[in-house]
Amino acid sequence: MGFESSDDACVYKLNDETAIINTIDFFPPIVDDPYTFGQIAAANSMSDVYAMGGEPKLAMNLLTFPNCLPIEAVKAILEGGNDKVNEAGATIVGGHSIEDKEPKYGLSVTGFAHPDDILSNSANEGNLLVITKKIGTGILTTAAKADLLDAAECREMEKTMAYLNKYAYLAVKGLRERGGQVDGCTDITGFGLIGHAAEMAKAGNVTLQLDCNAVPVFDRALEMASMGIIPAGAYRNRDYTAGDVISCMAKDPDRDPSLRARVDCLFDPQTSGGLLIAVNEKEVNVLTELLREQGCEAAVIGQFVQKTGDYFIELR
């Protein structure tokens, strides 16, 4: 696999039966609790393996921390990561740490898949697009830093980010075991829903007709967005994809505050977001059923059609 489809991880074909998937990710804390931060960072690091159609098996810790950080906090970060890796059925086999002024944590992850099971970050004309988690966590973490969320709202946000994409992967695996097929997959992270969906459309040279109202969004994220509480990354994502997106809505988002807030959420950078899965219409009901059985969101949010002009995303 080359660089053409902006895939989520490196894939190396070892032999006709085994492909190795390698990926790496780490970042500074986005929540206050060290253990929860460790869980979220680990879930995020392993997500790319699931997005490529594989299972993580080996992981190595990447940790930076200042001398002023209590050793109990460092231990909690590592415990959170270890517990999430164990939940994935993988093993932490070592790692590396250095002193830094800001704590950062993540994993270098190795996974495996059959070469025929590898999923690229692409889509075909006629595919439907399925999402497996709510969006809006970037807005919510921004709001949490300003003490605008209560404890229950913070827990819901943290639970979503710590939820492994393992379960969405198992739904895809179940579909394949029934003779079904998935044509492309990626996970939603820093480029937001629009950015990652645009990458899928570009790789397939198709246009995504995105149903904005079908996208599952945290209620509080919509509320915060309507108040203008939006992370800087969302504005960067909007600028980056400006030439790829056109609005074909009946209403003008700039004149409808509630619609404008929803569109803003589509550009929101996610941490440990869900998967975007491109699947044929005849397979979509089985896939959504399997996703719900695994405890995932299962919303059909758009369809890939023949490319329209210069645009890869049509907001509808």
Side-chain angles (χ1 to χ4, degrees):
M1 300 178 70
F3 294 101
E4 294 83 5
S5 53
S6 302
D7 285 295
D8 296 298
C10 161
V11 179
Y12 182 85
K13 184 178 178 181
L14 189 63
N15 53 47
D16 289 341
E17 299 297 321
T18 306
I20 298 173
I21 305 170
N22 276 335
T23 185
I24 187 170
D25 206 339
F26 69 116
F27 48 76
I30 56 170
V31 296
D32 291 334
D33 180 67
Y35 178 82
T36 303
F37 167 54
Q39 285 193 310
I40 293 169
N44 180 76
S45 297
M46 291 185 287
S47 178
D48 286 340
V49 175
Y50 294 124
M52 296 298 296
E55 296 183 71
K57 291 300 180 183
L58 303 174
M60 302 188 77
N61 286 317
L62 291 165
L63 178 67
T64 75
F65 61 95
N67 285 334
C68 61
L69 188 69
I71 195 65
E72 292 81 9
V74 176
K75 180 181 178 182
I77 292 170
L78 295 174
E79 285 180 342
N82 186 66
D83 287 350
K84 194 55 63 170
V85 169
N86 288 342
E87 181 185 341
T91 304
I92 291 181
V93 293
H96 187 65
S97 62
I98 62 170
E99 181 183 347
D100 193 11
K101 62 181 180 181
E102 183 179 37
K104 302 179 188 73
Y105 176 63
L107 301 172
S108 171
V109 186
T110 299
F112 298 92
H114 191 284
D116 293 342
D117 291 338
I118 294 296
L119 295 171
S120 70
N121 182 13
S122 185
N124 296 330
E125 182 180 338
N127 283 160
L128 298 178
L129 185 63
V130 178
I131 193 172
T132 68
K133 283 186 183 182
K134 292 180 181 178
I135 65 169
T137 55
I139 291 169
L140 292 179
T141 54
T142 301
K145 292 174 184 177
D147 295 325
L148 295 174
L149 301 183
D150 62 30
E153 291 164 343
C154 286
R155 284 195 298 271
E156 182 186 12
M157 170 191 68
E158 292 164 357
K159 181 180 178 181
T160 296
M161 291 190 289
Y163 194 75
L164 287 175
N165 280 329
K166 165 186 177 178
Y167 303 105
Y169 159 79
L170 289 175
V172 170
K173 183 179 179 182
L175 176 65
R176 285 172 155 175
E177 289 171 348
R178 298 186 184 197
Q181 178 181 330
V182 164
D183 291 322
C185 186
T186 190
D187 60 343
I188 310 173
T189 51
F191 292 123
L193 170 58
I194 291 288
H196 290 284
E199 286 182 341
M200 296 181 80
K202 287 179 181 179
N205 196 34
V206 289
T207 293
L208 172 64
Q209 295 176 339
L210 181 63
D211 183 353
C212 296
N213 290 316
V215 178
V217 185
F218 285 97
D219 290 339
R220 287 288 276 162
L222 286 169
E223 182 182 343
M224 293 295 118
S226 68
M227 297 166 57
I229 300 171
I230 300 169
Y235 295 105
R236 290 194 293 269
N237 287 341
R238 185 186 286 271
D239 291 341
Y240 180 72
T241 58
D244 299 328
V245 182
I246 185 172
S247 176
C248 297
M249 296 179 179
K251 294 182 179 180
D252 182 358
D254 290 334
R255 298 189 179 187
D256 185 333
S258 63
L259 184 56
R260 183 173 64 246
R262 177 169 285 275
V263 171
D264 285 339
C265 290
L266 303 180
F267 294 93
D268 183 40
Q270 305 300 283
T271 298
S272 191
L275 298 185
L276 289 174
I277 305 170
V279 63
N280 290 330
E281 188 171 1
K282 65 181 181 179
E283 318 274 18
V284 73
N285 289 336
V286 175
L287 177 61
T288 54
E289 179 184 348
L290 291 169
L291 284 168
R292 292 180 183 122
E293 289 176 0
Q294 293 289 346
C296 304
E297 293 280 340
V300 180
I301 62 172
Q303 183 170 22
F304 294 95
V305 299
Q306 185 176 4
K307 189 165 181 293
T308 305
D310 295 328
Y311 299 102
F312 292 98
I313 304 282
E314 292 181 0
L315 302 181
R316 292 175 174 264

